Amino acid sequence: MEAEIERVLLRREQIAARVRSMAAEIADVYAPLDGGLTLVPILSGAIIFLADLIRELPLKLKIAVVQVSTYPGASTKPGDPRVLIELNGHLRGRHVLIVDDILDTGRTLQCVQARLAAESPASIRTAVLLRKPNADAALADFVGFDIEDRFVVGYGLDYDDHYRNYPHIGVLRGELL
Ligand code: XMP
């Protein structure tokens, strides 16, 4: 895989340190609130971020997953986000934190937020590991890193479902896209 990565943007140690500090920011907001917390990761990109984040969160929480297809197959051009599966949990009256790998145009988060708002949660917030410059900054309440507008892979992020297990976050060589 290494040979297919043009440049490493974020090394695994940097990511781990930021995930720890994000967890502290998130805990500061939710610890004083009454009512339960449910994290809603957007599959599949958020799985590694979620797995690391929840183990740094000293809060009682539940997980309810949603799956959204934004880039079908090997395309890197966003289509209309589609919420593909039902939520596997009840959100009524709960504090909901949507967890995603990357905020690009914001269409995915907007689509998921609208879907979850219909479940009458107590609150909805969003946590993204990465944010690209095109994004409406206000869409994410918690942000790991602001990055340049390049297609990145690794740490859960894929190209055609590959590279999710690459431990760093890197820019894929242009000729592979
Ligand atoms: P939007 O535009 O809806 O995009 O904010 C968010 C979703 O698009 C995918 N995405 C990427 N996936 N490398 C990836 O592997 C990227 O650079 C990238 N940019 C956007 C991702 O699925 C995210 O949830």
Side-chain angles (χ1 to χ4, degrees), residues 103-104 126 128 131-143 146:
L103 171 58
D104 189 351
T126 54
V128 296
R131 179 170 62 188
K132 285 189 178 176
N134 339 318
D136 172 359
L139 270 176
D141 297 291
F142 304 97
V143 178
D146 279 298

Side-chain angles (χ1 to χ4, degrees), residues 42 70-71 78 81 100-109 132 150-153 157-159:
I42 302 178
T70 311
Y71 291 107
D100 204 4
D101 51 359
I102 188 164
L103 171 58
D104 189 351
T105 65
R107 284 194 293 176
T108 305
L109 272 186
K132 285 189 178 176
R150 294 290 307 274
F151 197 81
V152 294
V153 296
L157 291 135
D158 74 304
Y159 176 65

Side-chain angles (χ1 to χ4, degrees), residues 27-56:
D28 281 351
V29 170
Y30 286 102
L33 296 184
D34 285 333
L37 171 64
T38 300
L39 265 56
V40 179
I42 302 178
L43 299 181
S44 302
I47 53 175
I48 296 180
F49 176 39
L50 178 87
D52 287 346
L53 183 70
I54 57 173
R55 287 175 293 172
E56 300 291 344

Side-chain angles (χ1 to χ4, degrees), residues 18-168:
R18 183 65 188 117
V19 170
R20 268 197 299 280
S21 61
M22 278 185 89
E25 291 166 18
I26 291 168
D28 281 351
V29 170
Y30 286 102
L33 296 184
D34 285 333
L37 171 64
T38 300
L39 265 56
V40 179
I42 302 178
L43 299 181
S44 302
I47 53 175
I48 296 180
F49 176 39
L50 178 87
D52 287 346
L53 183 70
I54 57 173
R55 287 175 293 172
E56 300 291 344
L57 274 178
L59 302 172
K60 195 168 175 189
L61 59 84
K62 294 184 179 183
I63 295 170
V65 300
V66 289
Q67 185 162 22
V68 177
S69 168
T70 311
Y71 291 107
S75 169
T76 59
K77 297 280 182 297
D80 285 332
R82 288 178 295 136
V83 178
L84 287 183
I85 61 168
E86 286 301 302
L87 270 166
N88 72 341
H90 300 289
L91 301 183
R92 176 175 292 277
R94 297 191 61 84
H95 293 288
V96 167
L97 180 63
I98 302 171
V99 178
D100 204 4
D101 51 359
I102 188 164
L103 171 58
D104 189 351
T105 65
R107 284 194 293 176
T108 305
L109 272 186
Q110 279 171 324
C111 175
V112 171
Q113 270 174 335
R115 167 73 182 80
L116 301 190
E119 305 280 317
S120 307
S123 66
I124 303 183
R125 291 185 180 80
T126 54
V128 296
L129 181 65
L130 308 175
R131 179 170 62 188
K132 285 189 178 176
N134 339 318
D136 172 359
L139 270 176
D141 297 291
F142 304 97
V143 178
F145 300 94
D146 279 298
I147 61 162
E148 60 199 88
D149 192 12
R150 294 290 307 274
F151 197 81
V152 294
V153 296
Y155 196 73
L157 291 135
D158 74 304
Y159 176 65
D160 197 16
D161 247 345
H162 289 126
Y163 310 104
R164 292 196 199 277
N165 59 324
Y166 183 64
H168 317 292

